[in-house]
Amino acid sequence: TITVKPRPIGALVNTGTPFQGQVKLGIPSDPDIIEIGKTVTYEMAPPTGYTNAGHGTTWEINNIVARTRRGVIVPSTEYSFVAPSAGGSGKLTFVPKAALLDSFITFSFNYSDLGPHFCDSTIRRTLVVAPTPKVDFKFPASICLGEATLFENTSTIHSGNSTFIWRFGNGDTSDLNSPVYEFNNSGVYQVKLEATSFPWKVKKDTTITVEVGELPTIFFRINNKCDGNAITFLNGTTVGTGSLSYEWDFGDGSAIFNTNSSAVPPKTYPGAGVYRVTLIADANGCKSTLTKNAYVFAKPVANFTAPTVAVCANTAINFVNTSTISSGLKGSLWNFNDAGKLSTATSPSYTYTSPRTYQVTLISVSEFECRDSIKKTITIAPSPKPNFMGDQLCDNKLTNFSNTSVEALTNPVYTWTFSDGFTSTQREIVNKSWANNGPVTISLKSKYSNNCEATTTRVINILIQPKASFEVADICSGETARFVNTTTGDRANIQYAWDFGNGTDVVPAPLRVFTNATTQSYTVKLAASYLGGCSDTFSKTLNVSESPICNFTVKNHGNLKYTFTPSNTTYTKYEWFTGEGGYLNSPISTYTYSYNGNFVVKMKASNQAGCDCEITQTVGANTSVNNVVNSNGISIYPNPNNGTFTISNANSSAMTIEVYNVLGSKVLSKTSESGSALINLNTESKGVYLIKVSINGVTTVNKITVTN
């Protein structure tokens, strides 16, 4: 029989206070981490079922051994231990020395039961004494704003490696080993370097004060000049604090110019060219350098050739530019002293129109605005300005050419030359006829006694032209005038434009009705033309005489005797046809019929202009009295009218209406039972119409005038 006694278990080794290291699992593969000279504390919790107060009575820690990974025992003098008690857990304190650097140390705690079982157990806690980085760095003694500064990392570590974080005191960081850094602002910065060992992640840092000096803000401006002029410099360098000193190198091999003043005297260079100017500005050891080019521009020498004798006005003068320049490009500006006329051509041609003396100026300008100028005088002699004009350029009419030349000298000689071979030396007017139409070149040459001469040449176009003409006979009002076009031309397609005095038309031979109420004369004009050619106008007077108005009344004297009285008794001629074969020619005529019956009585009248009218009425002749129906009581209105009018009779009797034009053609026939009728002649031409109204076999004839 074997008896197995229980062992005390459940005791723990925990980290206590202080513990200046990194707490891990405390096993060989994941030991706690501690550094040389740092204090670590471990506290031991009693086994399960035991208390700190029972230490020494029911249980006890009877042995503590510390060994390295190679089995070397660490002397107990290297650490201290306080046994558990009613006042608390057991506590081990360990401060490693340099000899233990890089050592893995395992603490073994052996404890046992003091009865009745007297069994024991062991628990362990492993730590490593990790190396601490020695952090340090160095940098230049003087750091200037804007300079790239090397921060050299001089940190070391006993074993392993380290990673680094730089903190430059302005929020910027870097993880490079030895970074190059440029500060954006001057001032004092606390630069910190943080090192973390690998693999134990032991951290160490150091902070060093870095002062960044301000670099001068260097600036200067060069006022470049043309050769022979001193170049000036404007120094605009600034710095926030401290004083400035300057060093100038003007780039021409002369001595370096040092000064504490921002002012610098003008510099005269030995000739045209490009000079490298360098300025070094120093502020408390921080220097800024700026180099610019100073340009001394080559200056041109202006010159040109010009006529030395008088030149005729209106003659082109060629100015030859002989200006020179040692280097670079040049341009020209000419002032001809003639109403502000200028030119930028190299060798321009210019024509003066007015005779006098002119001072011509040439300004030669380099590409950099370096200038030289020269003036020369030229004389302009009077020159003719021939000019002429023609009145009409049509092939059927004589053209008068007038000399409109303005003469500066007296008695010039003129020569006219026409392209058809005609010439003339007349001074004022040349009359010219044309054999053909089409283009003609005309030249007028004028020559002065000073031998200055000029010619004006023009090309004119002689246009085709018809000869307008027409015939027309005088008419009476209401009649149609017939216009016989007798226009002639040398080709077809003549265009016509008629003006009758009361309207227009474009047909070759128009017909026109004139309906004036009184005698009137019209000036009729005909314009004949060719498309794109000349026109001709012919006019003639057309006399339109007033037409008489025929109407008459019939008076029954009884016993077949009747008197015919016209409504107008002032006409020069009257003719009466009684319908029975009788003929009368007095204004008021009396006639006795031979027998009873209905007779058609016709009246004709002519006025002084020879214009006629006629009218008929039916007369019922019998032996009784008052048996003649006349036209009284018939109304036609309005008259004149626009083609629409009304016919009515006082008795409201039925009536037959017939309308005839002046040619005798019937244009309308209508019957009215009510004694009133509306007549519409809107489709007919304007003019005079005869209206025949028949009532109970008696016909009355009246005239109306349609105006539209």
Side-chain angles (χ1 to χ4, degrees):
T1 301
I2 298 174
T3 301
V4 179
K5 299 178 181 181
R7 289 191 304 152
I9 59 174
L12 295 173
V13 178
N14 299 317
T15 57
T17 303
F19 192 93
Q20 297 173 331
Q22 302 177 45
V23 180
K24 302 295 182 178
L25 294 179
I27 60 178
S29 62
D30 190 15
D32 296 331
I33 301 170
I34 189 171
E35 301 172 57
I36 297 295
K38 297 290 183 71
T39 301
V40 293
T41 303
Y42 291 108
E43 293 183 357
M44 185 176 180
T48 304
Y50 298 86
T51 65
N52 286 326
H55 186 268
T57 304
T58 60
W59 73 285
E60 68 176 351
I61 298 173
N62 50 39
N63 189 24
I64 298 176
V65 178
R67 289 185 177 88
T68 67
R69 186 162 51 181
R70 292 177 179 161
V72 177
I73 296 177
V74 178
S76 61
T77 56
E78 297 293 325
Y79 53 89
S80 62
F81 179 72
V82 176
S85 65
S89 299
K91 183 178 294 186
L92 183 144
T93 302
F94 177 49
V95 180
K97 295 180 181 180
L100 296 176
L101 186 61
D102 289 329
S103 297
F104 282 75
I105 300 172
T106 300
F107 286 92
S108 298
F109 298 85
N110 182 265
Y111 57 94
S112 60
D113 175 65
L114 295 180
H117 305 297
F118 300 103
C119 292
D120 62 5
S121 293
T122 300
I123 59 175
R124 296 174 179 83
R125 188 86 185 193
T126 301
L127 57 83
V128 62
V129 182
T132 302
K134 294 181 179 180
V135 182
D136 200 3
F137 61 91
K138 60 183 180 180
F139 50 90
S142 176
I143 298 178
C144 297
L145 179 63
E147 292 181 343
T149 302
L150 172 63
F151 287 87
E152 185 179 355
N153 190 340
T154 59
S155 303
T156 61
I157 192 169
H158 183 267
S159 62
N161 295 309
S162 297
T163 59
F164 301 96
I165 292 293
W166 294 82
R167 303 187 187 277
F168 296 103
N170 59 358
D172 285 353
T173 62
S174 174
D175 59 0
L176 298 178
N177 187 67
S178 294
V180 176
Y181 186 73
E182 181 179 323
F183 288 93
N184 293 326
N185 296 288
S186 60
V188 177
Y189 296 88
Q190 300 300 316
V191 179
K192 178 189 286 188
L193 174 58
E194 299 175 354
T196 302
S197 69
F198 180 82
W200 308 116
K201 300 189 184 321
V202 176
K203 296 182 181 292
K204 187 68 175 178
D205 64 70
T206 187
T207 300
I208 301 177
T209 300
V210 176
E211 184 173 355
V212 179
E214 181 181 0
L215 278 174
T217 302
I218 190 168
F219 170 79
F220 68 93
R221 185 169 61 218
I222 301 174
N223 294 318
N224 299 314
K225 297 292 182 180
C226 298
D227 192 12
N229 298 313
I231 289 181
T232 58
F233 304 88
L234 176 63
N235 187 351
T237 303
T238 58
V239 70
T241 59
S243 59
L244 288 167
S245 62
Y246 304 97
E247 181 180 292
W248 290 88
D249 182 351
F250 295 108
D252 61 345
S254 60
I256 301 298
F257 179 70
N258 292 289
T259 180
N260 291 325
S261 171
S262 61
V264 60
K267 174 70 177 177
T268 301
Y269 285 93
V274 181
Y275 299 87
R276 297 280 290 173
V277 178
T278 300
L279 171 61
I280 300 175
D282 189 329
N284 305 318
C286 289
K287 295 182 179 181
S288 295
T289 301
L290 179 61
T291 299
K292 290 186 176 182
N293 287 335
Y295 295 92
V296 179
F297 303 123
K299 184 177 179 181
V301 178
N303 201 3
F304 67 94
T305 61
T308 57
V309 297
V311 178
C312 295
N314 301 310
T315 300
I317 301 174
N318 296 320
F319 295 94
V320 180
N321 191 335
T322 59
S323 303
T324 60
I325 189 170
S326 61
S327 64
L329 303 176
K330 67 181 187 304
S332 303
L333 177 61
W334 298 81
N335 187 337
F336 300 109
N337 192 23
D338 184 20
K341 298 297 177 58
L342 305 174
S343 175
T344 57
T346 301
S347 296
S349 177
Y350 187 74
T351 301
Y352 288 93
T353 59
S354 300
R356 64 180 179 88
T357 298
Y358 296 87
Q359 193 172 59
V360 180
T361 301
L362 167 61
I363 301 174
S364 187
V365 185
S366 76
E367 58 189 311
F368 300 108
E369 292 294 320
C370 296
R371 297 171 177 247
D372 187 37
S373 64
I374 187 172
K375 295 182 179 180
K376 293 187 179 183
T377 300
I378 62 173
T379 301
I380 304 300
S383 184
K385 297 180 180 178
N387 198 10
F388 62 90
M389 60 182 296
D391 56 357
Q392 52 191 1
L393 305 174
C394 302
D395 61 357
N396 286 332
K397 291 185 179 180
L398 194 67
T399 301
N400 299 316
F401 289 98
S402 300
N403 188 338
T404 59
S405 305
V406 177
E407 299 175 352
L409 297 180
T410 59
N411 299 320
V413 177
Y414 292 100
T415 302
W416 298 81
T417 303
F418 293 77
S419 60
D420 61 0
F422 177 79
T423 61
S424 175
T425 57
Q426 289 181 242
R427 178 187 179 91
E428 297 297 337
I429 298 177
V430 173
N431 299 320
K432 185 70 174 67
S433 60
W434 312 103
N436 300 291
N437 56 67
V440 176
T441 301
I442 305 172
S443 297
L444 175 60
K445 178 181 177 181
S446 177
K447 184 175 183 179
Y448 282 163
S449 58
N450 62 3
N451 289 323
C452 290
E453 62 181 40
T455 300
T456 296
T457 300
R458 297 192 187 120
V459 177
I460 63 175
N461 193 32
I462 305 303
L463 304 177
I464 58 175
Q465 180 185 35
K467 182 66 176 177
S469 182
F470 66 89
E471 298 291 339
V472 66
D474 292 340
I475 61 171
C476 298
S477 177
E479 295 180 349
T480 299
R482 297 178 179 272
F483 294 89
V484 180
N485 193 335
T486 58
T487 299
T488 59
D490 58 0
R491 65 186 66 181
N493 298 321
I494 300 176
Q495 310 292 315
Y496 299 102
W498 295 85
D499 183 351
F500 303 106
N502 67 348
T504 60
D505 207 340
V506 294
V507 299
L511 300 174
R512 188 78 177 175
V513 176
F514 291 81
T515 58
N516 42 286
T518 60
T519 297
Q520 187 173 342
S521 295
Y522 297 87
T523 299
V524 180
K525 296 179 181 179
L526 170 61
S529 63
Y530 286 114
L531 187 64
C534 291
S535 64
D536 188 39
T537 302
F538 179 79
S539 61
K540 199 170 208 179
T541 300
L542 170 64
N543 297 311
V544 180
S545 300
E546 177 184 355
S547 293
I549 299 176
C550 285
N551 202 356
F552 65 92
T553 59
V554 180
K555 183 176 182 181
N556 185 357
H557 297 286
N559 297 321
L560 303 178
K561 181 179 181 179
Y562 295 87
T563 297
F564 308 110
T565 303
S567 58
N568 187 325
T569 60
T570 63
Y571 298 141
T572 57
K573 181 180 178 181
Y574 294 88
E575 292 180 285
W576 300 90
F577 301 91
T578 64
E580 192 187 38
Y583 172 80
L584 307 169
N585 57 12
S586 297
I588 301 175
S589 296
T590 300
Y591 182 75
T592 302
Y593 285 93
S594 301
Y595 55 89
N596 292 333
N598 292 324
F599 301 95
V600 177
V601 178
K602 178 189 292 185
M603 168 191 159
K604 287 186 177 180
S606 300
N607 59 16
Q608 190 173 4
C611 296
D612 300 326
C613 69
E614 69 177 48
I615 190 172
T616 60
Q617 290 191 45
T618 300
V619 175
N622 52 58
T623 56
S624 63
V625 296
N626 297 323
N627 61 348
V628 177
V629 179
N630 57 46
S631 62
N632 290 336
I634 295 176
S635 298
I636 303 176
Y637 56 89
N639 187 24
N641 55 67
N642 60 4
T644 301
F645 56 93
T646 300
I647 301 176
S648 62
N649 60 78
N651 298 323
S652 299
S653 301
M655 56 185 175
T656 300
I657 301 167
E658 294 178 334
V659 180
Y660 296 83
N661 60 22
V662 293
L663 300 179
S665 299
K666 183 188 294 184
V667 298
L668 184 143
S669 178
K670 189 172 185 178
T671 300
S672 172
E673 299 295 334
S674 64
S676 178
L678 178 65
I679 306 300
N680 189 333
L681 298 181
N682 288 337
T683 59
E684 303 298 327
S685 301
K686 59 185 178 180
V688 177
Y689 292 83
L690 299 178
I691 310 298
K692 291 185 178 181
V693 181
S694 298
I695 301 176
N696 297 325
V698 178
T699 299
T700 300
V701 179
N702 293 277
K703 279 187 179 181
I704 65 157
T705 300
V706 177
T707 59
N708 290 326

